[in-house]
């Protein structure tokens, strides 16, 4: 997991010839060391290729015939005048990363008709099973089978919405460090720095998204709705890799993952405020990012256009850090708690639907929990892009809380909490799920009373409280979920 905020430090790539290639690179004057983030090979700045070139995903192994195209692309990078992130570059690098395959040698491939049919049938069956486990109706109007490249294309708009607020802080700081009377004179330099900043963000995000495309099994693995609304999507090639060594029939693996994807879709489709709540929490966290302007001023004063790695080195040394303020801590807690509540609810609902029907339900549940706890897609992605590490403990606590709510109120009473964000548990409630269930039960009575008075005693007022005798029929579901959540 990245130790630097925003994950600007990409791991260096080894040359194809190993140590011999390194020696050749040093003899040719190309060895700039790990601090060189681009390896452009500008005059006096080293060679084009070699172990220190993180843009190899875009440029490839350059030879003399490639030089023209490489410098043309460099010119396009420096002339970029868009937003805080060069998303064209991000997309290109993500696609190139995907085309290279994963570290285990698995390459991306187009999805065939048989795989598409299998995904469609799995999602359809998953939706039927979920009808017994949640009061929220189906949210997947379409079931899709994506290749990794298709996942990149479909999720980039969501990544843009997530990352731009953070990157905007960087771009703004680059223009604010000079006195206003000097900004006009330094316009070309500031423009170049912003272009380089957009390129660096694009490079990092493209790499992160490309790597993530080799791991995710659907469109909601990170707990956020990254794909188009109402479209449940699975990645057959990644599902095959995920279930390879589990000893579970691939049909059951596919169906269990379809249950998780379909459950996410129900939640995001029928809780209309949830998406903006989650994305707003990310933006709130981004607003608390503090830019070390003193360090940035020093970089600007010594900036050499032929050595763009200087700016990259400054970023790696911690120029951008979250502010240690009560507001920033609160923003972090809101984001972690919201994501944990989503994942915990999905975990509880999917387990209730799968436990009576799949012999491998317990094993698959534990595998996915372990995957998150040891650095799954959510933790890695947020740590790479915005320096945010999610705490897996919150996910386990949230799952335990939803199980307790199912025991106390049944499925309908549990799902009624999604009616408004103020009704959801807080971070402190996750530490004391039984206390929340009892305390919120009283709050529901007051809310029910107020709604009744506002409606003039109308018989049509919503019954937000689940009576004890109404929830007895659902106790078996709650017992299974609660028992398996105890760790």
């Amino acid at each position: 997991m990245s130790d630097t905020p925003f994950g600007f430090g990409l791991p260096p790539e080894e040359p194809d010839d190993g140590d011999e290639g390194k020696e050749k690179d040093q003899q040719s004057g190309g060895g700039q060391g790990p601090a060189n983030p681009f390896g452009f090979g500008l005059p006096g700045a080293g060679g084009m290729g070699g172990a220190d070139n993180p843009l190899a995903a875009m440029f490839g192994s350059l030879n003399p015939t490639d030089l023209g195209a490489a410098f043309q692309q460099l010119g396009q990078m420096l002339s970029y005048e868009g937003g805080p992130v060069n998303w064209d570059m991000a997309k290109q690098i993500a696609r190139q990363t995907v085309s290279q395959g994963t570290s285990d040698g698995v390459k991306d491939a187009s999805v065939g008709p048989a795989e598409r049919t299998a995904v469609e049938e799995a999602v359809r069956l998953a939706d039927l099973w979920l009808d017994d486990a949640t009061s929220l109706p189906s949210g997947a109007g379409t079931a899709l089978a994506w290749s990794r490249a298709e996942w990149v294309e479909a999720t980039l708009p969501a990544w843009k919405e997530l990352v731009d607020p953070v990157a905007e802080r960087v771009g703004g700081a680059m223009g604010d460090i000079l006195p206003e009377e000097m900004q006009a004179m330094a316009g070309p330099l500031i423009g170049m720095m912003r272009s380089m900043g957009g390129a660096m963000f694009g490079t990092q995000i493209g790499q992160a998204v490309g790597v993530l495309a080799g791991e995710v099994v659907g469109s909601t693995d990170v707990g956020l709705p990254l794909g188009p609304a109402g479209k449940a999507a699975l990645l057959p090639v990644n599902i095959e890799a995920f279930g390879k060594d589990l000893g579970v029939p691939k049909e059951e693996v596919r169906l269990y993952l379809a249950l998780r994807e379909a459950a996410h879709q129900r939640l995001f489709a029928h809780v209309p405020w949830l998406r903006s709540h989650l994305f707003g929490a990310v933006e709130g966290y981004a607003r608390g990012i503090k830019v070390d302007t003193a360090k940035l001023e020093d970089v600007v004063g010594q900036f050499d256009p032929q050595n763009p790695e200087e700016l990259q080195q400054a970023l790696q040394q911690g120029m951008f850090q979250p502010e240690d303020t009560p507001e920033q801590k609160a923003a972090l807690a809101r984001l972690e708690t919201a994501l944990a509540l989503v994942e915990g609810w999905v975990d509880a609902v999917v387990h209730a639907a799968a436990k009576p029907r799949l012999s491998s339900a317990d094993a698959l549940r534990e595998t996915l929990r372990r995957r998150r706890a040891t650095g799954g897609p959510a933790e890695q992605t947020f740590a790479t892009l915005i320096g945010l590490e999610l705490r897996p403990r919150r996910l386990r606590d949230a799952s335990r809380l939803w199980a307790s709510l199912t025991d106390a109120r049944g499925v309908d009473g549990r799902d009624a909490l999604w009616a408004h964000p103020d009704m959801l548990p807080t971070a402190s409630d996750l530490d004391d799920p039984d206390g929340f269930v009892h305390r919120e039960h009283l709050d529901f009575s007051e809310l029910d009373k107020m709604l009744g008075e506002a409606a003039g005693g109308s018989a049509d007022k919503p019954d937000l409280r689940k009576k004890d005798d109404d929830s007895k029929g659902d106790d078996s579901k709650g017992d299974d979920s609660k028992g398996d959540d105890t760790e």
Side-chain angles (χ1 to χ4, degrees), residues 241-256:
F242 172 79
K244 183 178 180 181
D245 299 320
L246 296 181
V248 176
K250 63 180 181 181
E251 293 79 9
E252 290 197 18
V253 174
R254 184 194 303 116
L255 185 50
Y256 193 88

Side-chain angles (χ1 to χ4, degrees), residues 425-447:
T426 64
S428 60
D429 293 327
L430 294 180
D431 296 324
D432 181 21
D434 292 334
F436 172 80
V437 171
H438 177 69
R439 182 171 62 254
E440 193 67 14
H441 185 83
L442 296 178
D443 291 343
F444 264 64
S445 300
E446 283 299 313
L447 184 57

